[in-house]
Amino acid sequence: MQQSNIPSWLQQQKLQITGQFLDSLWRDLLILTAVVLPVSLLRIFQTGWLNLYAVHLTIATVVIVTALNRQRLSVQLKGFLIITVMLVLGAGGLYSFGLAANGTFWLICGCLITGFLYSARTMYLVCALALTIFLTIFAGYSSGLLHTQTNLDVYMQSISAWLNFLLTAVMMVFILHRAVQAQQQQLMAVTQHQYRQWLDDLPLALEVVDLQQKTYYHNHAASRLFGQDSQAGVPLQMMAHLRDKTSGMPMRAAQLPAMAALRGENLFIDAALLQTSRGETVVRCWGWPGYLETGEIGYGITVFEDISRQALAEQHKNEFIANVSHELRTPLTAIRASIGLIMGGALGDIPKRAEEMARICQQNSERLLFLVNDLLDLQKIEQGKLEVTAIPVDASQLLRACAQNLQGYAEEFGSKILFNDQAPHAVVNLDPDRLQQVIANLLSNAVKFSPRHSVVMMWARCENHQLIIGVQDQGHGIPAAQQSKIFEPFVQLEPQPDQSHPGTGLGLSISKKLVEYMGGQISFSSQEGLGTTFELRFALLVNP
């Protein structure tokens, strides 16, 4: 897998945040210097010339030169200079005025800036240096070796002293505020760094679109899948061409996963055709909304999976099954018909043992033919090629015929089928052959899964302008663990110890699709030990 360049990205982000933090501090110091320096120099008239003022002039020169050239200087040099300025100002203020000046503030600011720019070890060293300066000057004043270089009573009465103190305190608040902001930005950059590690090299194509319908983020897999990078923030899925795989019709912008997600919808597209500069690809798509901290939708999150190989394999499998099924159906039909003629005496009487063997051949040929027909129907359904011809149908007559046709099958199990017709005049619009196929499957399943010598009930009734057809068995019921999969292809119930139920596992899956093709609904209810009831619902054309 391609390795991401996230570490260098994180380093660049941190360097940029640090640079912006230092630039803002130098800009603030430049403004403070422009205001405080004239005020400090005005105090010459009150205090006379002090060596501290020479320090102020030197520091002011450094601040002005550095601030005006801050874009040209390296981050390391700007950081070193600003910490040095803070410590020198702090030492000078404490030396000249003791605690009457704001030297302590400058020392604290130097420690704060060091804590943001450098490691904890470096911060401890600078804090130790600042503490040493403070304690040394404290020792000098407490021992009488140092004295203030001006009359503090006069100094404290001057407006310039109070203004200088106030502005320095404000500067300290600004430094603290900017340090907190920069720290938050760095934490956010680290978080983005972690997300990038998780998402950038994800094999699924991920694209996030904001409310302005601009790309907020996309990973490497998205660039590879769409064959290009976003231009001017235009989402990749809008620059490509998505088409419905079944109909081949282009998807409008409003139908794209990102647009649906921005409307608050959860979208899933099982298969779509993606046309890019690299050719056509089959993709599976997801889209869901992303929310801001206020609870409002802020992003459309979309995922695309390249399923071209799976789609091609599925196509080859379908073609193979269809070809084999067609090739098998013709000879099976001939074999079944030939055995039927033999069993019917067309070739004269046959020995009893031969008759028994012929009956076994007939039963197995019929099973094989049913399997082939089920496979063909399943392939037609999956490919959207199943033909359903709906016409007005007398439901009572058709259902009664289905029950009679399956009566002989039920007798083989010692059971019988009873039909309770409560809708003798109901007319529905559906394909009668396909409905017979569904009813035959439900009734045969009910007979197979019911104990011998039991009764399978089928009924029809009208309710809320619908025809409801029910089939109820007296079997062991469907286990709860299997109920969610009962309509999936090739799913078969585990047989009971005293029962054997050969089948393909396709009947219910095909029945569900057929019912939905005819505009109906199929459902079931089951309790273990009490049997299962299937219900079909179709809209009535004529109320009885």
Side-chain angles (χ1 to χ4, degrees), residues 389-395 397-398 426-432 539-542:
T389 305
I391 59 174
V393 173
D394 183 340
Q397 182 179 351
L398 185 144
V427 177
V428 288
N429 191 55
L430 43 75
D431 187 320
L540 287 168
L541 279 183
V542 178

Side-chain angles (χ1 to χ4, degrees), residues 80 181 245 320 451 493:
F80 173 77
Q181 278 188 327
K245 187 175 184 297
F320 172 77
L493 296 181

Side-chain angles (χ1 to χ4, degrees), residues 25 82 90 123 194 205 238 287 330 374 386 388 400 403 451 477 506 529 543:
L25 291 187
I82 198 166
M123 183 190 70
Q194 293 172 339
M238 298 185 98
T330 300
D374 281 348
L386 184 70
V388 173
R400 196 174 299 279
L506 295 174
N543 286 317

Side-chain angles (χ1 to χ4, degrees), residues 319-332:
E319 291 175 353
F320 172 77
I321 293 176
N323 290 335
V324 170
S325 300
H326 278 294
E327 292 297 326
L328 286 175
R329 186 159 63 172
T330 300
L332 276 174

Side-chain angles (χ1 to χ4, degrees), residues 264-409:
E265 302 173 12
N266 289 312
L267 181 69
F268 171 69
I269 302 175
D270 186 57
L273 298 176
L274 174 65
Q275 184 70 44
T276 67
S277 57
R278 297 185 178 181
E280 191 171 73
T281 307
V282 183
V283 294
R284 183 175 289 133
C285 317
W286 293 266
W288 65 92
Y291 296 91
L292 302 172
E293 62 274 10
T294 59
E296 299 177 345
I297 295 175
Y299 308 98
I301 305 170
T302 58
V303 173
F304 296 84
E305 180 185 8
D306 185 349
I307 59 170
S308 298
R309 292 184 179 179
Q310 299 95 306
L312 185 60
E314 185 73 16
Q315 179 183 346
H316 289 164
K317 182 204 75 172
N318 292 341
E319 291 175 353
F320 172 77
I321 293 176
N323 290 335
V324 170
S325 300
H326 278 294
E327 292 297 326
L328 286 175
R329 186 159 63 172
T330 300
L332 276 174
T333 302
I335 292 171
R336 180 168 173 261
S338 300
I339 295 175
L341 290 174
I342 294 173
M343 295 288 294
L347 301 180
D349 294 336
I350 58 175
K352 190 168 184 178
R353 291 184 61 187
E355 182 180 356
E356 183 64 25
M357 295 297 295
R359 182 175 290 106
I360 294 174
C361 291
Q362 185 181 41
Q363 291 175 349
N364 282 281
S365 65
E366 288 178 351
R367 282 192 60 203
L368 283 174
L369 192 58
F370 282 135
L371 172 60
V372 169
N373 288 332
D374 281 348
L375 287 172
L376 287 173
D377 283 342
L378 184 63
Q379 296 308 306
K380 290 178 181 177
I381 289 171
E382 290 181 349
Q383 296 172 7
K385 297 179 180 179
L386 184 70
E387 295 181 1
V388 173
T389 305
I391 59 174
V393 173
D394 183 340
S396 177
Q397 182 179 351
L398 185 144
L399 294 175
R400 196 174 299 279
C402 289
Q404 291 174 354
N405 292 339
L406 269 292
Q407 203 65 250
Y409 179 79

Side-chain angles (χ1 to χ4, degrees), residues 132-292:
T132 301
I133 293 172
F134 181 86
L135 293 177
T136 300
I137 295 175
F138 163 74
Y141 273 103
S142 61
S143 64
L145 295 176
L146 293 180
H147 303 278
T148 57
Q149 300 180 23
T150 186
N151 188 330
L152 289 182
D153 291 334
V154 176
Y155 175 77
M156 296 298 292
Q157 292 174 1
S158 65
I159 297 177
S160 60
W162 287 92
L163 181 60
N164 187 36
F165 189 90
L166 176 63
L167 291 176
T168 305
V170 171
M171 180 65 188
M172 182 178 176
V173 172
F174 268 94
I175 291 174
L176 181 61
H177 174 68
R178 294 191 188 283
V180 171
Q181 278 188 327
Q183 187 66 33
Q184 290 176 338
Q185 290 174 350
Q186 285 201 350
L187 289 174
M188 187 177 296
V190 171
T191 303
Q192 290 179 353
H193 155 70
Q194 293 172 339
Y195 279 121
R196 281 177 176 270
Q197 289 185 92
W198 302 334
L199 301 177
D200 270 5
D201 293 327
L202 193 72
L204 297 177
L206 172 66
E207 183 176 35
V208 182
V209 179
D210 61 22
L211 290 175
Q212 287 70 44
Q213 299 184 11
K214 301 291 185 182
T215 296
Y216 180 78
Y217 169 81
H218 70 264
N219 63 0
H220 301 321
S223 298
R224 292 194 298 268
L225 178 64
F226 289 92
Q228 57 190 333
D229 283 321
S230 178
Q231 299 176 5
V234 179
L236 296 174
Q237 56 196 277
M238 298 185 98
M239 297 169 61
H241 301 282
L242 278 169
R243 293 186 290 118
D244 183 84
K245 187 175 184 297
T246 303
S247 65
M249 296 296 293
M251 296 177 64
R252 300 188 303 272
Q255 297 174 306
L256 295 175
M259 300 303 106
L262 289 174
R263 294 194 299 269
E265 302 173 12
N266 289 312
L267 181 69
F268 171 69
I269 302 175
D270 186 57
L273 298 176
L274 174 65
Q275 184 70 44
T276 67
S277 57
R278 297 185 178 181
E280 191 171 73
T281 307
V282 183
V283 294
R284 183 175 289 133
C285 317
W286 293 266
W288 65 92
Y291 296 91
L292 302 172

